[in-house]
Amino acid sequence: MDAAGPVAPGDADTPAGDRIVVDHTGELLELALTDAALTAGHHAVADTVLGLYRRALTVAEGNAATASHPVGDRLPNRRAGLR
């Protein structure tokens, strides 16, 4: 959570059931790969994870860009107490 409040994460999945969830900073929140993906070999696993990651990050960044800010997010008026 940041100062503007929680931001919806981004997720991506494959028809086979592989899934990844990341936040808008790119932090990994969830990764679930099927047995088929895990036994496909190193390069296939890396390609699957990177493809899912890029799609999920794009969604998370979009969610962060459209997140609403709370009404009171302005800095306090410092001169108010100087009267």
Side-chain angles (χ1 to χ4, degrees), residues 58-76:
T58 299
V59 172
E61 289 172 340
N63 288 338
T66 60
S68 62
H69 297 286
V71 174
D73 67 339
R74 294 188 198 137
L75 292 174

Side-chain angles (χ1 to χ4, degrees), residues 19-66:
R19 175 177 172 79
I20 194 170
V21 180
V22 299
D23 72 9
H24 65 286
T25 67
E27 183 176 349
L28 179 66
L29 302 176
E30 176 187 335
L31 175 62
L33 297 177
T34 61
D35 288 341
L38 289 172
T39 59
H42 173 75
H43 293 293
V45 171
D47 288 345
T48 298
V49 172
L50 286 175
L52 287 170
Y53 180 84
R54 288 182 183 124
R55 286 178 30 217
L57 183 58
T58 299
V59 172
E61 289 172 340
N63 288 338
T66 60

